[in-house]
Amino acid sequence: MDDHLALCVHKLEKQLTHLTTLTQLLDSELDLLAAKKGDGLKELAREKLTLLHAIQSLDKEISSFDKALFSQPEAQNLTSNIEELLIKCKQKNDVNAQAAHQANLSVRELKEILIGAPSSVTYGQDGAVVSHNNELVKNLKA
């Protein structure tokens, strides 16, 4: 194996390691979202951002290699593994985004209940908006 191919394989292996770490961080992120642990999410977001910068930087380095190197079996296998992990990361990230959105909706709904916002809005026979104010929380003092 020549030096260029060896260096390319080394960088691909490093990228594979970074992406494996990213999948683990995404799994941890989903766990923290489910547990509603905001402090843990802040720290994890910092880790994720650092890792994403490293992935992006390494990706630039890898893209500078001659394209012919990637047709070599050693590089080809790593490249296909990297592509699979990228798809997996995207799917996990989409799931986490949906979980974060649902958590945000739940918190907003709880907040509205606590401040006494109307819990349901419907339309009357004349088409006007009618709010049903459930007086679940009135004169609440913290």
Side-chain angles (χ1 to χ4, degrees), residues 11 15 18 50-63:
K11 300 251 183 216
Q15 191 73 305
H18 284 334
T50 301
L51 186 59
L52 288 172
H53 285 303
I55 289 169
Q56 187 177 32
S57 174
L58 192 55
D59 198 42
K60 282 183 182 179
E61 292 177 34
I62 291 170
S63 68

Side-chain angles (χ1 to χ4, degrees), residues 62-79:
I62 291 170
S63 68
S64 69
F65 286 105
D66 182 17
K67 304 299 176 218
L69 291 175
F70 297 101
S71 62
Q72 300 295 320
E74 300 93 339
Q76 232 175 7
N77 291 336
L78 289 168
T79 303

Side-chain angles (χ1 to χ4, degrees), residues 19-74:
L19 290 170
T20 301
T21 302
L22 183 59
T23 59
Q24 293 165 350
L25 284 176
L26 289 168
D27 287 338
S28 297
E29 183 179 53
L30 185 59
D31 292 341
L32 290 171
L33 283 167
K36 295 180 175 87
K37 295 190 177 191
D39 290 339
L41 283 170
K42 287 179 188 178
E43 179 58 34
L44 193 116
R46 282 187 211 101
E47 288 179 46
K48 234 173 64 171
L49 191 58
T50 301
L51 186 59
L52 288 172
H53 285 303
I55 289 169
Q56 187 177 32
S57 174
L58 192 55
D59 198 42
K60 282 183 182 179
E61 292 177 34
I62 291 170
S63 68
S64 69
F65 286 105
D66 182 17
K67 304 299 176 218
L69 291 175
F70 297 101
S71 62
Q72 300 295 320
E74 300 93 339

Side-chain angles (χ1 to χ4, degrees), residues 29-30 33-34 41 94-106:
E29 183 179 53
L30 185 59
L33 283 167
L41 283 170
D94 290 345
V95 167
N96 290 1
Q98 185 63 30
H101 178 71
Q102 291 299 320
N104 185 36
L105 289 177
S106 296

Side-chain angles (χ1 to χ4, degrees), residues 115-131:
I115 63 172
S119 61
S120 66
V121 175
T122 59
Y123 297 96
Q125 289 180 344
D126 61 351
V129 174
V130 178
S131 296

